[in-house]
Amino acid sequence: DLRLALRSALLPLGDFAQTLAVVREAEQLATALGDHQRLAQATFFLSLHLYLNGQHDEAVRAAQRAQALTAGRDPIMHALATYLTGIHLQAQGQYTHATECFERSLTALAGAKQRQFFNLAILPSVTSCAFLATCSAELGHFPRAHAYGVQGLEIAEAVGHPPSTMFAAWGAGWAAFRQGDAPCALSLLERALGICRD
């Protein structure tokens, strides 16, 4: 628990190497203890930090392991592991499969869960919408991309969380850019950049 909490404290500092080391320690302890729930959490965060370190193949394997650990046991953690798998697939250009992951996670995070962080820095419902917007745009499904972009912005603005709003504006802006709507894209991406600067 202390190592998983330390992960959350180290992440904003940008010390990805130390954060990854702490998460690996948590994973080893959970494995030694046979603690299924904490192992799933540690494996999820391991996948996230491997992704941030650019270790994509290992990150995908960790995300799939987290999905397997949570299937039928922890619906929220399973939804988060599915969403994380989508992020890895999106990074590899597998937009159709990534979209399927994000749609499943967004469905599981419906209702009041849309406004919950689940120990993440940005609302996972918002990042799911943002990535659904970008993936849909890459596939040429522009009305769907626009709808997801709007949905992500609405969730983030309702919560009043600037980092989530930044991510939502980025996703909607990217979708507008891919559609060729430069004025809309510029407005949204400038908004995202402004939040980052603030």
Side-chain angles (χ1 to χ4, degrees):
D1 289 342
L2 289 171
R3 282 164 177 79
L4 291 175
L6 183 56
R7 175 214 74 86
S8 298
L10 287 169
L11 184 60
L13 299 175
D15 188 348
F16 294 141
Q18 180 62 32
T19 306
L20 183 58
V22 167
V23 172
R24 285 191 188 279
E25 288 177 13
E27 181 192 35
Q28 290 167 359
L29 286 169
T31 300
L33 292 168
D35 189 324
H36 192 88
Q37 182 180 3
R38 286 184 177 90
L39 179 58
Q41 291 174 329
T43 304
F44 170 83
F45 287 121
L46 176 63
S47 178
L48 176 61
H49 293 294
L50 288 167
Y51 168 79
L52 293 173
N53 278 345
Q55 297 169 257
H56 296 295
D57 291 339
E58 196 176 349
V60 169
R61 286 192 295 273
Q64 290 170 340
R65 196 163 63 249
Q67 278 185 291
L69 286 166
T70 56
R73 296 177 183 224
D74 185 340
I76 296 299
M77 199 67 211
H78 188 71
L80 295 176
T82 302
Y83 139 85
L84 192 55
T85 301
I87 291 175
H88 302 323
L89 293 171
Q90 184 269 345
Q92 296 175 342
Q94 298 184 47
Y95 302 119
T96 300
H97 295 305
T99 297
E100 293 166 1
C101 289
F102 293 128
E103 286 177 339
R104 285 199 308 270
S105 66
L106 194 59
T107 299
L109 299 175
K113 295 182 210 121
Q114 285 184 337
R115 298 177 179 205
Q116 293 179 11
F117 287 88
F118 303 106
N119 292 321
L120 297 172
I122 298 174
L123 288 164
S125 59
V126 170
T127 49
S128 291
C129 287
F131 281 123
L132 278 165
T134 61
C135 289
S136 297
E138 293 296 335
L139 293 168
H141 305 304
F142 297 117
R144 188 167 66 176
H146 175 75
Y148 281 125
V150 168
Q151 182 180 355
L153 279 167
E154 287 175 350
I155 296 167
E157 288 168 347
V159 173
H161 184 248
S164 295
T165 303
M166 177 278 301
F167 209 90
W170 166 80
W174 181 261
F177 168 72
R178 294 301 285 162
Q179 189 172 3
D181 188 346
C184 180
L186 190 59
S187 173
L188 288 163
L189 295 173
E190 283 180 339
R191 180 180 182 191
L193 183 59
I195 295 169
C196 288
R197 286 179 173 153
D198 290 346

